[in-house]
């Protein structure tokens, strides 16, 4: 771990968003938390356990198509053993997003039966959807609702305020902005969040991130860089980056290798799945 790297990114609108969520939680039956399937520990906001206390819970591991399937199964088991129902999806696929309706109804069946006994037959389940920036929360909502209900973007922090969205006849969904927490106690969490793009790319250089990523891949996914870039990877991380710059013709004026551009290519390839299905942490965290 590089002691020079210290990531904290907490824009002002996040403080306001947390206050609004605390005010609205009393209206909510179930809290649906969206995680990034590649970092199911680092992408969990620690304030959510307190916020959702006493509420039904559902955890959606989104971008499951980008995660290592064997490690993802371990994470599903890990959270199920904590008593939290878990489902892994690629939310860009509408069918996958809509598959959560029966899951939500099953989790909330006690509440629905209670409503039925009281004669409240048509009251929709009230769900709050939460998640840190850039885990695909807005994509999930749009895919589910079949229209652009929530703003989407590949920059963290696009959704700025809370909004109610009707999902069919069964669920009223309260969307919330992507909220991080003020300080990452574990630097590795900050690094993992930066690698998937959940913190602003100006906070840490892509060069520093790429050096850490190369070391991680060589230790956990040996051969994946060779396959992607046709390079010899088992060497110093900086040399690997120079090889990527050479293969991808990243050159500055004067003929020097553009190592920052090579770093950007590597990080982008991780984020969009071009490197393959990679998980950045395991439940032994």
């Amino acid at each position: 771990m590089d002691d020079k790297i210290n990531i904290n990114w907490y824009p002002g609108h996040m403080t306001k968003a947390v206050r609004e969520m605390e005010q609205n939680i009393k209206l909510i039956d179930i809290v649906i938390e969206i995680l990034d399937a590649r970092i199911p520990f680092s992408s969990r906001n620690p304030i959510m356990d307190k916020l959702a206390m006493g509420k039904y819970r559902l955890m959606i591991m989104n971008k499951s198509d980008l995660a290592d399937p064997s490690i993802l199964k371990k994470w599903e088991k890990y959270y199920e053993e904590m008593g939290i129902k878990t489902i892994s999806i690629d939310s860009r696929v509408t069918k996958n997003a809509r598959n959560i309706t029966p899951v939500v109804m099953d989790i909330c069946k006690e509440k629905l039966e209670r409503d039925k006994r009281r004669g409240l037959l048509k009251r929709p389940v009230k769900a709050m959807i939460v998640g840190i920036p850039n885990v695909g929360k807005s994509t999930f909502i749009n895919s589910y609702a079949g229209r652009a209900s929530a703003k989407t973007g590949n920059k963290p922090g696009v959704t700025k305020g809370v909004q109610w969205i009707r999902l069919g006849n069964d669920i009223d969904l309260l969307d919330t902005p992507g909220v991080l927490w003020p300080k990452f106690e574990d630097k590795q969490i900050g690094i993992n969040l930066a690698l998937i793009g959940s913190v602003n790319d100006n906070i840490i250089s892509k060069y520093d991130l790429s050096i850490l990523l190369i070391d991680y891949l060589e230790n956990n996914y040996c051969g994946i860089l060779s396959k992607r870039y046709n390079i010899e990877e088992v060497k110093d991380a900086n040399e690997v980056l120079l090889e990527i710059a050479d293969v991808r013709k990243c050159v500055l004026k004067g003929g020097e290798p553009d190592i920052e551009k090579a770093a950007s290519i590597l990080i982008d390839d991780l984020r969009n799945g071009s490197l393959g299905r990679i998980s950045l942490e395991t439940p032994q965290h």
Side-chain angles (χ1 to χ4, degrees), residues 108-125:
C108 297
K109 66 185 176 201
E110 283 179 24
K111 169 230 174 308
L112 295 168
E113 285 165 6
R114 203 162 53 240
D115 284 353
K116 193 174 178 180
R117 286 196 299 271
R118 293 164 60 199
L120 302 169
L121 299 181
K122 292 293 183 185
R123 183 173 171 263
V125 168

Side-chain angles (χ1 to χ4, degrees), residues 41 70-71 74-75 77-78 186 220 281-285:
F41 182 83
S70 61
I71 293 176
K74 291 177 183 175
W75 279 112
K77 185 167 181 256
Y78 174 85
D186 181 344
N220 295 277
E281 59 189 6
T282 62
Q284 289 80 33
H285 190 281

Side-chain angles (χ1 to χ4, degrees), residues 51 65 113 122 125 156 165 167 174 188 201 205 215 278 280:
L51 185 76
D65 56 306
E113 285 165 6
K122 292 293 183 185
V125 168
I165 299 158
L167 299 181
L174 182 64
Q188 190 59 48
D201 276 333
S205 82
D215 286 338
I278 291 167
L280 296 171

